[in-house]
Amino acid sequence: MRETNPNSWEARADAHSFYGFTDLPTIADRGATIVTSGHGPYITDVHGRDYLDANSGLWNMVLGFDNKELAEAAKAQYDTLPGYHAFFGRMSDQAVMLSEKLIEVSPFSDGKVFYTNSGSEANDTLVKMLWFLWGAEGQPQRRKIITRKNAYHGVTAVSASMTGKPYNSVFGLPMDGFLHLTCPHYWREGKDGESEAEFTARMGQELEDMIAREGADTIAAFVAEPVMGAGGVIPPSEGYFQTIQPILQKHGIPLISDEVICGFGRTGSDWGCQSYGFMPDAIISSKVLTAGLFPMGAVILGPELSDRLTRASEAIEEFPHGFTASGHPVGCAIALKAIEMVMSDEIKGNIARLIPQFEAGMARLAEKKNIGEWRGRGLMGALEAVQDKATKTPFPGNLSVSERIANACTDQGLICRPLGQSIVLAPPFILTDEQLAEMFDKLEAALDKVFAEVA
Ligand SMILES: *Cc1c(COP(=O)(O)O)cnc(C)c1O
């Protein structure tokens, strides 16, 4: 099935490039897809084949793969000040403007921003900030970080420890002091006969029990994605954050919203925390921040944490942290343009128009006998494949059902992501009605093909 020519792009990729987060048997069988260009929501491979990318790249390229305005913002900045750092009291004007903009569009009344090159680094930075400020406030033992199983917070040693995925055990992670609560996925984790309200109450009790067991004065923060993204698009159970937040407040534990996926419109609101009606103490941002055109992350501290971090820094005369490319002026210029576009009436209107069609398409596919549930929020969703719908029994792992579905999609010119036993969709915000219909038609054909083979 794959190219055998040793000079092919596929063979050259195998020879000298590592594949991260890639199913290697699929590569051995099919070869990698080598991408050369893009237009709108489509990418084009070295063989000239087009694919509708129903994952917006990795959730981030929401304004398409050939956005001229973003490219022009980058070009203009490269022509003016093509790079600079943010150390030793120097900082580009673009970084100053982006921080103002981020606080303005954030749910916070005031606050401050710190830049990184990725979402993982933003989570690492947040944890270091918390360790630093708790220490400065005379509570150096407050170091534990609570997250949830299935959460995805990144791949650096700290953010991978926050991530609640079993694969991190191959690295001997998580490190000590990273605690994981049950994933608030009612469909999968709910007990027989347990109502959703009872399930949510149990999640709250589990947090209370963990805090009692560990000691509130050993816990630095609770970090959560509003909707878990890379865990398989898992919205929280009804009332989850309304149950969790008062418990954290009672114990003085900050609530951090990892909005790397949810931020900037994905859930149908500007921020995921707004979709779920809670107010975090800080927000982690990346991905849509630059619409995928520049590696960049940001820690956005609300007023209380930013005051505390400022005081702690003043006490030792600096905050000893930063990356060489933190606040890169080209990244900031792109982010300013991306935020302007993503928050424009045009894009917000398109998202609002697409959401009901997206939900209807997902609901229709979920009627298939081998789809256990569809779940999601806004323009992110997952279809969970099952062998038996009534008992929610998954297909045997060795059938690689979700990989096969994704491969069948690729064969038809559609990119979508296999995740566990589910297929994840997170289309770009610029999709037209015709492109949305194309996405569902191709996905349906792939589902029917694979279910006919395995069922
Ligand atoms: C992708 C992601 C990260 C990590 O971002 P990178 O830029 O890949 O390091 C962190 N948190 C969430 C919620 C993410 O989806």
Side-chain angles (χ1 to χ4, degrees):
M1 159 127 54
R2 64 173 288 181
E3 288 261 359
T4 49
N5 176 351
N7 294 321
S8 68
W9 283 100
E10 292 82 354
R12 289 166 61 190
D14 285 354
H16 295 298
S17 298
F18 279 116
Y19 300 106
F21 283 120
T22 295
D23 183 59
L24 296 177
T26 298
I27 293 298
D29 185 32
R30 302 169 55 91
T33 302
I34 312 299
V35 182
T36 57
S37 62
H39 53 103
Y42 297 90
I43 54 169
T44 305
D45 74 7
V46 284
H47 306 289
R49 284 189 293 253
D50 280 348
Y51 305 84
L52 176 60
D53 191 331
N55 290 109
S56 313
L58 269 181
W59 316 86
N60 53 354
M61 301 203 59
V62 297
L63 299 174
F65 294 99
D66 61 348
N67 192 289
K68 296 285 176 290
E69 285 174 75
L70 293 173
E72 275 159 22
K75 172 87 170 56
Q77 188 58 39
Y78 273 123
D79 287 342
T80 319
L81 177 68
Y84 207 68
H85 62 80
F87 283 27
F88 319 129
R90 293 186 280 278
M91 174 181 292
S92 75
D93 56 353
Q94 301 298 315
V96 174
M97 289 190 285
L98 180 59
S99 300
E100 286 171 348
K101 181 50 107 181
L102 284 170
I103 297 301
E104 177 197 322
V105 302
S106 79
F108 305 129
S109 56
D110 200 356
K112 290 186 182 179
V113 182
F114 199 96
Y115 297 105
T116 66
N117 307 304
S118 67
S120 301
E121 290 169 347
N123 277 312
D124 267 56
T125 296
L126 168 87
V127 169
K128 284 182 71 181
M129 285 173 162
L130 292 163
W131 287 347
F132 173 59
L133 74 83
W134 283 120
E137 293 173 359
Q139 296 202 64
Q141 78 292 347
R142 270 208 188 241
R143 293 179 67 84
K144 291 175 190 163
I145 304 290
I146 303 178
T147 59
R148 291 91 47 81
K149 292 189 184 111
N150 262 323
Y152 186 85
H153 297 293
V155 296
T156 51
V158 161
S159 62
S161 294
M162 298 164 74
T163 291
K165 302 281 236 170
Y167 55 69
N168 278 317
S169 65
V170 301
F171 304 107
L173 295 173
M175 298 188 287
D176 288 348
F178 290 82
L179 312 173
H180 298 96
L181 292 163
T182 298
C183 174
H185 185 192
Y186 174 58
W187 180 80
R188 183 51 85 196
E189 301 291 340
K191 293 184 175 151
D192 278 350
E194 188 179 41
S195 72
E196 189 159 352
E198 288 164 349
F199 173 79
T200 299
R202 178 157 66 84
M203 295 299 100
Q205 190 57 50
E206 187 192 22
L207 174 62
E208 282 277 21
D209 292 347
M210 180 181 273
I211 295 171
R213 190 172 64 242
E214 303 287 336
D217 65 349
T218 70
I219 297 167
F222 175 95
V223 185
E225 302 156 86
V227 179
M228 288 183 178
V233 187
I234 303 171
S237 60
E238 187 69 39
Y240 179 79
F241 284 103
Q242 285 63 39
T243 302
I244 294 291
Q245 184 152 38
I247 298 169
L248 298 171
Q249 279 167 345
K250 189 170 74 188
H251 296 288
I253 300 170
L255 166 58
I256 315 301
S257 192
D258 184 341
E259 302 254 2
V260 169
I261 286 175
C262 294
F264 300 113
R266 179 59 75 189
T267 64
S269 313
D270 291 347
W271 302 97
C273 58
Q274 293 167 333
S275 290
Y276 289 95
F278 70 96
M279 177 59 92
D281 295 294
I283 283 177
I284 304 298
S285 180
S286 189
K287 294 201 169 102
V288 176
L289 178 58
T290 56
L293 270 78
F294 202 89
M296 184 169 207
V299 182
I300 308 171
L301 296 184
E304 193 202 317
L305 283 183
S306 70
D307 284 351
R308 288 168 65 186
L309 188 72
T310 302
R311 273 199 300 278
S313 306
E314 283 165 0
I316 65 154
E317 299 187 349
E318 73 171 322
F319 176 52
H321 180 81
F323 301 94
T324 301
S326 287
H328 193 288
V330 176
C332 292
I334 294 170
L336 280 162
K337 179 53 82 175
I339 293 170
E340 178 193 319
M341 293 179 75
V342 164
M343 296 198 151
S344 67
D345 291 343
E346 189 190 338
I347 293 292
K348 281 193 187 187
N350 202 47
I351 295 173
R353 200 179 54 77
L354 287 170
I355 288 173
Q357 300 178 50
F358 181 72
E359 291 173 346
M362 294 295 268
R364 188 170 58 79
L365 294 182
E367 285 167 16
K368 295 194 181 292
K369 81 178 206 329
N370 291 111
I371 298 293
E373 71 158 356
W374 93 264
R375 53 178 183 264
R377 180 86 184 215
L379 279 186
M380 61 198 289
L383 292 158
E384 182 87 19
V386 287
Q387 191 162 51
D388 185 316
K389 197 163 182 147
T391 60
K392 305 180 184 175
T393 309
F395 282 103
N398 62 0
L399 287 179
S400 305
V401 167
S402 60
E403 288 288 341
R404 284 162 73 161
I405 295 167
N407 292 341
C409 288
T410 309
D411 289 341
Q412 296 187 67
L414 175 70
I415 306 281
C416 56
R417 175 159 171 200
L419 233 167
Q421 298 261 349
S422 65
I423 292 292
V424 164
L425 301 179
F429 299 168
I430 52 159
L431 222 58
T432 63
D433 292 358
E434 295 70 35
Q435 291 161 346
L436 187 103
E438 178 189 343
M439 176 177 85
F440 281 121
D441 287 349
K442 289 183 166 172
L443 177 56
E444 178 161 26
L447 292 171
D448 290 344
K449 174 174 179 288
V450 174
F451 290 152
E453 289 165 11
V454 297

PDB file of all heavy atoms in Angstrom, residues 59 117-121 123 152-155 225 229-230 258-261 284 286-287 296, ligand 1:
ATOM      1  N   TRP A  59      -5.758  21.327  16.853  1.00  0.00           N
ATOM      2  CA  TRP A  59      -6.760  22.181  17.506  1.00  0.00           C
ATOM      3  C   TRP A  59      -6.511  23.674  17.282  1.00  0.00           C
ATOM      4  O   TRP A  59      -7.263  24.501  17.776  1.00  0.00           O
ATOM      5  CB  TRP A  59      -6.781  21.988  19.030  1.00  0.00           C
ATOM      6  CG  TRP A  59      -6.730  20.622  19.589  1.00  0.00           C
ATOM      7  CD1 TRP A  59      -5.603  19.878  19.857  1.00  0.00           C
ATOM      8  CD2 TRP A  59      -7.830  19.806  20.006  1.00  0.00           C
ATOM      9  NE1 TRP A  59      -5.951  18.679  20.417  1.00  0.00           N
ATOM     10  CE2 TRP A  59      -7.303  18.603  20.526  1.00  0.00           C
ATOM     11  CE3 TRP A  59      -9.220  19.999  20.007  1.00  0.00           C
ATOM     12  CZ2 TRP A  59      -8.098  17.579  21.030  1.00  0.00           C
ATOM     13  CZ3 TRP A  59     -10.013  18.981  20.512  1.00  0.00           C
ATOM     14  CH2 TRP A  59      -9.456  17.792  21.014  1.00  0.00           C
ATOM     15  N   ASN A 117       6.893  29.272  25.174  1.00  0.00           N
ATOM     16  CA  ASN A 117       6.873  28.841  23.769  1.00  0.00           C
ATOM     17  C   ASN A 117       5.842  27.754  23.501  1.00  0.00           C
ATOM     18  O   ASN A 117       5.735  27.283  22.374  1.00  0.00           O
ATOM     19  CB  ASN A 117       8.240  28.295  23.363  1.00  0.00           C
ATOM     20  CG  ASN A 117       9.339  29.275  23.663  1.00  0.00           C
ATOM     21  OD1 ASN A 117       9.294  30.402  23.201  1.00  0.00           O
ATOM     22  ND2 ASN A 117      10.289  28.864  24.458  1.00  0.00           N
ATOM     23  N   SER A 118       5.139  27.308  24.518  1.00  0.00           N
ATOM     24  CA  SER A 118       4.209  26.194  24.327  1.00  0.00           C
ATOM     25  C   SER A 118       3.257  26.120  25.512  1.00  0.00           C
ATOM     26  O   SER A 118       3.488  26.759  26.553  1.00  0.00           O
ATOM     27  CB  SER A 118       4.962  24.867  24.222  1.00  0.00           C
ATOM     28  OG  SER A 118       5.564  24.558  25.470  1.00  0.00           O
ATOM     29  N   GLY A 119       2.231  25.307  25.350  1.00  0.00           N
ATOM     30  CA  GLY A 119       1.304  25.066  26.446  1.00  0.00           C
ATOM     31  C   GLY A 119       1.960  24.300  27.584  1.00  0.00           C
ATOM     32  O   GLY A 119       1.700  24.567  28.759  1.00  0.00           O
ATOM     33  N   SER A 120       2.816  23.327  27.239  1.00  0.00           N
ATOM     34  CA  SER A 120       3.507  22.560  28.278  1.00  0.00           C
ATOM     35  C   SER A 120       4.337  23.486  29.155  1.00  0.00           C
ATOM     36  O   SER A 120       4.305  23.404  30.387  1.00  0.00           O
ATOM     37  CB  SER A 120       4.456  21.531  27.639  1.00  0.00           C
ATOM     38  OG  SER A 120       3.758  20.651  26.802  1.00  0.00           O
ATOM     39  N   GLU A 121       5.077  24.371  28.516  1.00  0.00           N
ATOM     40  CA  GLU A 121       5.918  25.303  29.268  1.00  0.00           C
ATOM     41  C   GLU A 121       5.068  26.278  30.080  1.00  0.00           C
ATOM     42  O   GLU A 121       5.503  26.741  31.136  1.00  0.00           O
ATOM     43  CB  GLU A 121       6.822  26.091  28.321  1.00  0.00           C
ATOM     44  CG  GLU A 121       7.908  25.253  27.679  1.00  0.00           C
ATOM     45  CD  GLU A 121       8.602  26.008  26.561  1.00  0.00           C
ATOM     46  OE1 GLU A 121       8.097  27.047  26.124  1.00  0.00           O
ATOM     47  OE2 GLU A 121       9.663  25.552  26.119  1.00  0.00           O
ATOM     48  N   ASN A 123       2.263  25.485  31.531  1.00  0.00           N
ATOM     49  CA  ASN A 123       1.892  24.757  32.748  1.00  0.00           C
ATOM     50  C   ASN A 123       3.085  24.600  33.691  1.00  0.00           C
ATOM     51  O   ASN A 123       2.942  24.730  34.901  1.00  0.00           O
ATOM     52  CB  ASN A 123       1.287  23.396  32.389  1.00  0.00           C
ATOM     53  CG  ASN A 123      -0.182  23.503  32.037  1.00  0.00           C
ATOM     54  OD1 ASN A 123      -0.950  24.136  32.772  1.00  0.00           O
ATOM     55  ND2 ASN A 123      -0.592  22.920  30.924  1.00  0.00           N
ATOM     56  N   TYR A 152      -5.035  16.324  29.917  1.00  0.00           N
ATOM     57  CA  TYR A 152      -3.809  16.527  29.135  1.00  0.00           C
ATOM     58  C   TYR A 152      -3.301  17.936  29.405  1.00  0.00           C
ATOM     59  O   TYR A 152      -3.989  18.913  29.120  1.00  0.00           O
ATOM     60  CB  TYR A 152      -4.061  16.344  27.633  1.00  0.00           C
ATOM     61  CG  TYR A 152      -2.763  16.413  26.860  1.00  0.00           C
ATOM     62  CD1 TYR A 152      -1.963  15.289  26.708  1.00  0.00           C
ATOM     63  CD2 TYR A 152      -2.316  17.621  26.336  1.00  0.00           C
ATOM     64  CE1 TYR A 152      -0.738  15.360  26.051  1.00  0.00           C
ATOM     65  CE2 TYR A 152      -1.090  17.693  25.671  1.00  0.00           C
ATOM     66  CZ  TYR A 152      -0.315  16.565  25.531  1.00  0.00           C
ATOM     67  OH  TYR A 152       0.896  16.644  24.880  1.00  0.00           O
ATOM     68  N   HIS A 153      -2.100  18.019  29.982  1.00  0.00           N
ATOM     69  CA  HIS A 153      -1.529  19.330  30.264  1.00  0.00           C
ATOM     70  C   HIS A 153      -0.159  19.512  29.618  1.00  0.00           C
ATOM     71  O   HIS A 153       0.494  20.524  29.858  1.00  0.00           O
ATOM     72  CB  HIS A 153      -1.442  19.557  31.781  1.00  0.00           C
ATOM     73  CG  HIS A 153      -2.786  19.566  32.457  1.00  0.00           C
ATOM     74  ND1 HIS A 153      -3.718  20.559  32.240  1.00  0.00           N
ATOM     75  CD2 HIS A 153      -3.377  18.689  33.308  1.00  0.00           C
ATOM     76  CE1 HIS A 153      -4.813  20.303  32.962  1.00  0.00           C
ATOM     77  NE2 HIS A 153      -4.640  19.171  33.607  1.00  0.00           N
ATOM     78  N   GLY A 154       0.288  18.529  28.830  1.00  0.00           N
ATOM     79  CA  GLY A 154       1.543  18.697  28.111  1.00  0.00           C
ATOM     80  C   GLY A 154       2.523  17.572  28.363  1.00  0.00           C
ATOM     81  O   GLY A 154       2.173  16.536  28.942  1.00  0.00           O
ATOM     82  N   VAL A 155       3.750  17.779  27.902  1.00  0.00           N
ATOM     83  CA  VAL A 155       4.738  16.695  27.835  1.00  0.00           C
ATOM     84  C   VAL A 155       6.051  16.961  28.562  1.00  0.00           C
ATOM     85  O   VAL A 155       6.889  16.053  28.657  1.00  0.00           O
ATOM     86  CB  VAL A 155       5.070  16.334  26.371  1.00  0.00           C
ATOM     87  CG1 VAL A 155       3.842  15.793  25.670  1.00  0.00           C
ATOM     88  CG2 VAL A 155       5.640  17.529  25.626  1.00  0.00           C
ATOM     89  N   GLU A 225      -8.801  21.368  32.678  1.00  0.00           N
ATOM     90  CA  GLU A 225      -9.344  21.860  31.414  1.00  0.00           C
ATOM     91  C   GLU A 225     -10.861  21.945  31.577  1.00  0.00           C
ATOM     92  O   GLU A 225     -11.462  21.012  32.112  1.00  0.00           O
ATOM     93  CB  GLU A 225      -9.056  20.858  30.289  1.00  0.00           C
ATOM     94  CG  GLU A 225      -7.600  20.538  30.049  1.00  0.00           C
ATOM     95  CD  GLU A 225      -7.458  19.157  29.374  1.00  0.00           C
ATOM     96  OE1 GLU A 225      -7.538  19.085  28.145  1.00  0.00           O
ATOM     97  OE2 GLU A 225      -7.270  18.149  30.089  1.00  0.00           O
ATOM     98  N   GLY A 229      -9.515  17.881  26.426  1.00  0.00           N
ATOM     99  CA  GLY A 229      -9.357  17.801  24.976  1.00  0.00           C
ATOM    100  C   GLY A 229      -8.711  16.503  24.542  1.00  0.00           C
ATOM    101  O   GLY A 229      -9.386  15.569  24.096  1.00  0.00           O
ATOM    102  N   ALA A 230      -7.395  16.407  24.721  1.00  0.00           N
ATOM    103  CA  ALA A 230      -6.660  15.237  24.257  1.00  0.00           C
ATOM    104  C   ALA A 230      -7.003  13.978  25.060  1.00  0.00           C
ATOM    105  O   ALA A 230      -6.629  12.877  24.677  1.00  0.00           O
ATOM    106  CB  ALA A 230      -5.157  15.505  24.300  1.00  0.00           C
ATOM    107  N   ASP A 258      -6.926  25.359  32.456  1.00  0.00           N
ATOM    108  CA  ASP A 258      -6.048  25.125  31.308  1.00  0.00           C
ATOM    109  C   ASP A 258      -6.903  25.258  30.054  1.00  0.00           C
ATOM    110  O   ASP A 258      -7.619  24.344  29.669  1.00  0.00           O
ATOM    111  CB  ASP A 258      -5.386  23.748  31.406  1.00  0.00           C
ATOM    112  CG  ASP A 258      -4.392  23.502  30.269  1.00  0.00           C
ATOM    113  OD1 ASP A 258      -4.471  24.209  29.244  1.00  0.00           O
ATOM    114  OD2 ASP A 258      -3.547  22.591  30.400  1.00  0.00           O
ATOM    115  N   GLU A 259      -6.809  26.439  29.448  1.00  0.00           N
ATOM    116  CA  GLU A 259      -7.651  26.795  28.298  1.00  0.00           C
ATOM    117  C   GLU A 259      -6.859  26.712  26.995  1.00  0.00           C
ATOM    118  O   GLU A 259      -7.172  27.431  26.038  1.00  0.00           O
ATOM    119  CB  GLU A 259      -8.189  28.220  28.487  1.00  0.00           C
ATOM    120  CG  GLU A 259      -8.999  28.414  29.763  1.00  0.00           C
ATOM    121  CD  GLU A 259     -10.495  28.514  29.515  1.00  0.00           C
ATOM    122  OE1 GLU A 259     -10.911  28.389  28.349  1.00  0.00           O
ATOM    123  OE2 GLU A 259     -11.228  28.710  30.499  1.00  0.00           O
ATOM    124  N   VAL A 260      -5.842  25.858  26.961  1.00  0.00           N
ATOM    125  CA  VAL A 260      -5.004  25.760  25.762  1.00  0.00           C
ATOM    126  C   VAL A 260      -5.860  25.371  24.552  1.00  0.00           C
ATOM    127  O   VAL A 260      -5.657  25.892  23.459  1.00  0.00           O
ATOM    128  CB  VAL A 260      -3.835  24.783  25.992  1.00  0.00           C
ATOM    129  CG1 VAL A 260      -3.118  24.469  24.688  1.00  0.00           C
ATOM    130  CG2 VAL A 260      -2.849  25.378  26.995  1.00  0.00           C
ATOM    131  N   ILE A 261      -6.844  24.495  24.758  1.00  0.00           N
ATOM    132  CA  ILE A 261      -7.772  24.158  23.673  1.00  0.00           C
ATOM    133  C   ILE A 261      -9.039  25.009  23.751  1.00  0.00           C
ATOM    134  O   ILE A 261      -9.518  25.530  22.750  1.00  0.00           O
ATOM    135  CB  ILE A 261      -8.127  22.658  23.718  1.00  0.00           C
ATOM    136  CG1 ILE A 261      -6.943  21.829  23.212  1.00  0.00           C
ATOM    137  CG2 ILE A 261      -9.374  22.372  22.874  1.00  0.00           C
ATOM    138  CD1 ILE A 261      -7.135  20.327  23.325  1.00  0.00           C
ATOM    139  N   ILE A 284      -4.337  29.213  31.524  1.00  0.00           N
ATOM    140  CA  ILE A 284      -3.219  28.781  30.690  1.00  0.00           C
ATOM    141  C   ILE A 284      -3.691  28.843  29.244  1.00  0.00           C
ATOM    142  O   ILE A 284      -4.754  28.303  28.917  1.00  0.00           O
ATOM    143  CB  ILE A 284      -2.806  27.328  31.031  1.00  0.00           C
ATOM    144  CG1 ILE A 284      -2.469  27.183  32.519  1.00  0.00           C
ATOM    145  CG2 ILE A 284      -1.652  26.868  30.152  1.00  0.00           C
ATOM    146  CD1 ILE A 284      -1.320  28.023  32.986  1.00  0.00           C
ATOM    147  N   SER A 286      -2.576  28.728  24.881  1.00  0.00           N
ATOM    148  CA  SER A 286      -1.634  28.436  23.792  1.00  0.00           C
ATOM    149  C   SER A 286      -2.478  28.081  22.575  1.00  0.00           C
ATOM    150  O   SER A 286      -3.603  28.563  22.472  1.00  0.00           O
ATOM    151  CB  SER A 286      -0.671  27.302  24.195  1.00  0.00           C
ATOM    152  OG  SER A 286       0.355  27.166  23.227  1.00  0.00           O
ATOM    153  N   LYS A 287      -1.990  27.241  21.686  1.00  0.00           N
ATOM    154  CA  LYS A 287      -2.735  26.784  20.502  1.00  0.00           C
ATOM    155  C   LYS A 287      -3.412  27.923  19.726  1.00  0.00           C
ATOM    156  O   LYS A 287      -2.757  28.567  18.925  1.00  0.00           O
ATOM    157  CB  LYS A 287      -3.707  25.666  20.892  1.00  0.00           C
ATOM    158  CG  LYS A 287      -2.967  24.392  21.349  1.00  0.00           C
ATOM    159  CD  LYS A 287      -3.775  23.127  21.283  1.00  0.00           C
ATOM    160  CE  LYS A 287      -2.908  21.908  21.484  1.00  0.00           C
ATOM    161  NZ  LYS A 287      -2.967  21.301  22.787  1.00  0.00           N
ATOM    162  N   MET A 296       3.817  29.470  20.901  1.00  0.00           N
ATOM    163  CA  MET A 296       3.659  30.455  21.967  1.00  0.00           C
ATOM    164  C   MET A 296       2.639  29.961  22.984  1.00  0.00           C
ATOM    165  O   MET A 296       1.623  29.384  22.629  1.00  0.00           O
ATOM    166  CB  MET A 296       3.156  31.758  21.344  1.00  0.00           C
ATOM    167  CG  MET A 296       3.046  32.876  22.330  1.00  0.00           C
ATOM    168  SD  MET A 296       2.752  34.391  21.398  1.00  0.00           S
ATOM    169  CE  MET A 296       3.433  35.528  22.515  1.00  0.00           C
TER     170      MET A 296
HETATM  171  C1  LIG B   1      -1.867  20.884  23.786  1.00  0.00           C
HETATM  172  C2  LIG B   1      -2.143  21.128  25.213  1.00  0.00           C
HETATM  173  C3  LIG B   1      -1.125  21.463  26.117  1.00  0.00           C
HETATM  174  C4  LIG B   1       0.321  21.431  25.720  1.00  0.00           C
HETATM  175  O1  LIG B   1       0.637  22.381  24.752  1.00  0.00           O
HETATM  176  P1  LIG B   1       1.966  22.188  23.882  1.00  0.00           P
HETATM  177  O2  LIG B   1       2.050  23.473  23.127  1.00  0.00           O
HETATM  178  O3  LIG B   1       1.775  20.986  23.023  1.00  0.00           O
HETATM  179  O4  LIG B   1       3.097  22.019  24.829  1.00  0.00           O
HETATM  180  C5  LIG B   1      -1.466  21.776  27.405  1.00  0.00           C
HETATM  181  N1  LIG B   1      -2.743  21.763  27.817  1.00  0.00           N
HETATM  182  C6  LIG B   1      -3.743  21.440  26.997  1.00  0.00           C
HETATM  183  C7  LIG B   1      -5.145  21.474  27.497  1.00  0.00           C
HETATM  184  C8  LIG B   1      -3.482  21.092  25.669  1.00  0.00           C
HETATM  185  O5  LIG B   1      -4.466  20.732  24.857  1.00  0.00           O
END
